Structures are given as structure tokens and as C-alpha cells.
Amino acid sequence: MQPTDAYVELVNALEALRSASVADLVARVDQPHTTRSLVIGGEPVELETVLTWADPARTAILATAHLRGPGTWHHQHMQESIRIAITPAPRYFRHWAESVLGEGVALMELKGEWVVRQVEIYGPHRIWCDESGQSDDRFMLADQPISVLELDAVDEISAGEFEDAWNSARESSGTR
């Protein structure tokens, strides 16, 4: 068997993992390895793949493929890994808020642990903030991770509820 042919199979296996859905990949993380038998150049080989978290924040998956062959090739093997970034689905929360405008609510869109868009509602006042700016300089985008903000499942709202509030705040400030 030609090592270049074997390496092509190894790379193809990793690229197939890269194109898999995030849900499928996450379901396979930290599960036992999978093994497939292949024939390359007329020789049987085993292709083993395993997925693990690449970082503690779980923002990427490390996919490792290990190819083992027969005979003298049995002790020689090929192994490659790739890092596959995982983009977490946004989550939306509602939380009590207080400001110079009085008591109200803050609605937040989070990606991972961080707020990326925010709407604050105080009676008729609607203020928006995102990474590019804000409608009122007295209000800033939350700069604490979700764990510090102590948000949990009871504070979660739908994407539609957030988007309605976001669009309303943007329109009330004359921004679209």
C-alpha cells in the first residue's frame, strides 16, 4: 500500500467529520472511538476516529483519525487531528433592571457565555445596545458572562420575543 493513498483516506475521514452537523458532532464527543475497516491498495486497514472537546469552554471539537494497517504497517500508523469550531446557538433572556429611568427589564441575546445584543425597557423608553454601539450613551452592553449574571432557565425567553423588542427599540431610536 502506498502511504500517500492511506493519507488521502485519513484526510477524507477528517473532512467528512468537518462537514457533519454540529448536533451529530456534539453527540459523538467523549463517546468511545468508532472503527471502520477499509481496503486501500488491496490491503485491509482500520480507521479509528474519536471526538473530544478541544477547550474547556466547549467552543471547538478536536477530531482525531488514526489509520492502522497490516504486516509491517501494523506498527506504523498515521494519525491526524483537526479542530472544528462550534458556533453556539444564541439564547435569549429577560432580567429585572434598574437605571436612572427607574425599574424595568433587560432582554439579552447571548452567544456562548456573552451578551451580544441587549434591549432595556423602562416604561415608554426602549434602549438598545450591541457590539457596535447603543441608542443612549448612558447604557452599555452587559460585560459579564452569563454565570456572573445568574441567569437560568426560568429567565429564558423565545427568539421571537427578543426580536420584537429589538426591532421596537431600534425603530423608536430611528435606527433600523
Side-chain angles (χ1 to χ4, degrees), residues 44-77:
V45 296
E46 284 190 349
L47 176 64
E48 176 184 293
T49 56
V50 65
L51 303 177
T52 58
W53 290 112
D55 59 358
R58 297 181 175 197
T59 62
I61 291 174
L62 182 66
T64 303
H66 198 156
L67 192 67
R68 294 181 186 88
T72 58
W73 221 75
H74 187 64
H75 294 291
Q76 293 179 330
H77 56 89

Side-chain angles (χ1 to χ4, degrees), residues 4-169:
T4 53
D5 294 338
Y7 194 76
V8 166
E9 287 297 326
L10 191 68
V11 169
N12 287 342
L14 290 171
E15 288 304 318
L17 288 170
R18 185 189 310 273
S19 64
S21 75
V22 171
D24 289 342
L25 291 173
V26 170
R28 289 183 55 191
V29 169
D30 295 331
Q31 297 298 312
H33 66 269
T34 58
T35 303
R36 264 191 318 146
S37 295
L38 305 169
V39 176
I40 301 174
E43 295 182 85
V45 296
E46 284 190 349
L47 176 64
E48 176 184 293
T49 56
V50 65
L51 303 177
T52 58
W53 290 112
D55 59 358
R58 297 181 175 197
T59 62
I61 291 174
L62 182 66
T64 303
H66 198 156
L67 192 67
R68 294 181 186 88
T72 58
W73 221 75
H74 187 64
H75 294 291
Q76 293 179 330
H77 56 89
M78 294 182 174
Q79 181 174 319
E80 286 291 338
S81 297
I82 58 171
R83 183 182 171 103
I84 303 169
I86 302 296
T87 304
R91 294 173 61 200
Y92 303 90
F93 293 89
R94 172 195 302 272
H95 193 269
W96 174 85
E98 185 175 22
S99 75
V100 296
L101 298 175
E103 290 185 4
V105 296
L107 287 78
M108 295 163 273
E109 176 185 26
L110 282 84
K111 287 194 179 166
E113 284 283 306
W114 300 96
V115 176
V116 294
R117 292 192 300 167
Q118 175 177 308
V119 176
E120 295 187 40
I121 303 170
Y122 302 97
H125 304 283
R126 297 188 179 331
I127 296 98
W128 62 266
C129 307
D130 66 10
E131 295 167 326
S132 66
Q134 63 275 349
S135 60
D136 186 323
D137 289 339
R138 297 176 293 178
F139 297 86
M140 304 300 283
L141 188 63
D143 62 355
Q144 300 295 315
I146 189 173
S147 55
V148 172
L149 297 173
E150 298 180 3
L151 299 174
D152 54 36
V154 298
D155 299 310
E156 208 152 350
I157 61 172
S158 71
E161 184 177 346
F162 178 85
E163 291 300 333
D164 289 346
W166 178 258
N167 292 333
S168 175

